[in-house]
Amino acid sequence: MDIKDSITKLLKDKTILVTGGTGSFGNKFIKTVLDNYPIKKVIVYSRDELKQYEMQQRLSKYSQKMRYFIGDVRDLTRLSMAMNGVDIVIHAAAIKQVPAAEYNPMECIKTNINGAENVIEASLANNIDKVIALSTDKAANPINLYGATKLCSDKLFQAANNLAGTSRTRFAVVRYGNVSGSRGSVVPFFNKLVTEKAEFIPITDMNMTRFWISLDQGVNFVLEGLVRMHGGETFVPKIPSIKIKDLATAIAPNIPQKEVGIRPGEKIHELMCPKDDSLHVIEFDKFFIIRPSITFSTFSNDNYSTTAVGEKGKPVAVGFEYNSLNNPHYLSVEEIREFLEKVK
């Protein structure tokens, strides 16, 4: 059975709840499962009534399979109510903008850490089958508050597998880099500057590199994680890197670039598998798994070298690091242009 067949089998007649379901990832994930898999129902859990209304209009043909909950992950009671009868939870809600988190640290902590704890408690109380939390490259050796809160969140979801005891609930994490075209990303910003005929394209640092992934790829990687997971692992995809100056050239080849300095909390290069974690990293053909450093009382930690669908991996060398600078796969300017055209 190939992995898509495994996903189809897993999702058949299942109810899925997506926190932050009206965000870029939530929109794409929900449409993907509605279009391609025999699910029973999708529940959108988010704070913004306008975005929920707009989503209802876009997905009106699926109205019989859709439910909408106005709610915040900070509200455990509301979250628990929304999860009644749910089989799978995808936790995508977060405060994600790095500068916003730096200037509003307590709000970031309340959503990204306290909210993660609430998702865990509500999932356990409702006997959810599988929970996947979305992480970020910024959680690896974090230097900004957003990354630090997501690292805390990752650790909470790993340790939650011990809280599950003998129940069926299992928790895992998916970590990946910048999503091309997502809200708040640099692509819409550069496109806006082109439309406005800006005098220059601001580049925070001419040496800056980033991992690069499309929304479709991110959604599919999460779906694959649902069937691969044992519980406690962090899944990291093998994806290409780009140079930010090459991205600017691909989008605006005729506009000069100007270095303007990095923003608060910003890294020059991004990291997904830190050197300090190399003892726990297992490499597969198209992804890595970072095993949890803790042991679980109810199931073995020894099975991460083989996924739940039988894919086999092997440990990386001690000192291995996977970052956007040493990544062997870079996109050229032309490849970036083709990529952007494909994901329009």
Side-chain angles (χ1 to χ4, degrees), residues 60-99:
S60 58
K61 70 176 180 177
Y62 292 114
S63 59
Q64 296 303 308
K65 289 190 172 187
M66 298 290 297
R67 300 292 182 273
Y68 296 87
F69 274 73
I70 297 289
D72 196 313
V73 291
R74 300 181 187 186
D75 185 341
L76 176 58
T77 303
R78 180 65 169 166
L79 198 52
S80 293
M81 184 184 301
M83 284 191 195
N84 183 36
V86 169
D87 301 292
I88 294 166
V89 170
I90 307 298
H91 177 45
I95 289 178
K96 299 182 174 74
Q97 295 295 314
V98 170

Side-chain angles (χ1 to χ4, degrees), residues 35-295:
D35 284 345
N36 297 287
Y37 297 100
I39 60 166
K40 179 181 178 182
K41 183 168 58 178
V42 176
I43 297 172
V44 178
Y45 187 89
S46 69
R47 298 183 301 178
D48 194 318
E49 60 181 320
L50 175 60
K51 288 180 188 151
Q52 287 197 8
Y53 170 77
E54 291 169 345
M55 192 177 211
Q56 287 178 47
Q57 308 311 302
R58 285 195 303 274
L59 299 178
S60 58
K61 70 176 180 177
Y62 292 114
S63 59
Q64 296 303 308
K65 289 190 172 187
M66 298 290 297
R67 300 292 182 273
Y68 296 87
F69 274 73
I70 297 289
D72 196 313
V73 291
R74 300 181 187 186
D75 185 341
L76 176 58
T77 303
R78 180 65 169 166
L79 198 52
S80 293
M81 184 184 301
M83 284 191 195
N84 183 36
V86 169
D87 301 292
I88 294 166
V89 170
I90 307 298
H91 177 45
I95 289 178
K96 299 182 174 74
Q97 295 295 314
V98 170
E102 295 297 303
Y103 284 106
N104 301 277
M106 292 310 300
E107 298 308 301
C108 184
I109 289 166
K110 287 173 188 173
T111 294
N112 295 358
I113 299 177
N114 299 348
E117 185 178 7
N118 288 340
V119 169
I120 290 164
E121 289 191 25
S123 297
L124 292 171
N126 284 280
N127 198 32
I128 305 299
D129 183 16
K130 293 173 182 278
V131 182
I132 281 190
L134 269 59
S135 183
T136 168
D137 51 81
K138 294 167 184 65
N141 289 3
I143 64 164
N144 54 56
L145 187 76
Y146 169 53
T149 60
K150 292 303 285 184
L151 176 60
C152 286
S153 172
D154 294 354
K155 296 293 187 181
L156 285 168
F157 279 99
Q158 286 178 353
N161 289 283
N162 268 334
L163 299 177
T166 57
S167 76
R168 68 173 183 162
T169 311
R170 291 290 177 266
F171 301 85
V173 173
V174 165
R175 173 187 294 170
Y176 52 72
N178 288 269
V179 177
S180 168
S182 63
R183 284 205 303 263
S185 77
V186 72
V187 172
F189 174 61
F190 282 176
N191 283 330
K192 180 171 175 286
L193 292 176
V194 172
T195 302
E196 294 172 350
K197 295 182 170 54
E199 292 181 10
F200 63 88
I201 300 292
I203 307 293
T204 53
D205 189 290
M206 289 297 177
N207 297 310
M208 186 172 284
T209 62
R210 288 291 180 263
F211 285 110
W212 209 240
I213 190 171
S214 70
L215 264 177
D216 282 325
Q217 290 171 321
V219 164
N220 288 329
F221 192 63
V222 169
L223 288 168
E224 290 163 4
L226 285 170
V227 295
R228 286 174 172 147
M229 64 182 280
H230 295 290
E233 59 270 79
T234 298
F235 294 96
V236 175
K238 291 181 179 179
I239 52 179
S241 291
I242 62 164
K243 297 174 182 176
I244 293 299
K245 64 180 183 180
D246 287 348
L247 175 65
T249 301
I251 293 174
N254 300 317
I255 302 179
Q257 299 169 13
K258 179 180 178 182
E259 189 168 274
V260 295
I262 62 173
R263 301 177 301 168
E266 195 170 34
K267 288 183 178 182
I268 304 297
H269 309 293
E270 289 184 333
L271 177 63
M272 286 207 281
C273 296
K275 188 180 298 183
D276 296 330
D277 266 339
S278 62
L279 290 172
H280 305 294
V281 175
I282 302 167
E283 183 174 8
F284 295 77
D285 285 345
K286 296 181 179 179
F287 60 96
F288 300 96
I289 282 177
I290 306 175
R291 298 179 301 173
S293 57
I294 60 173
T295 56

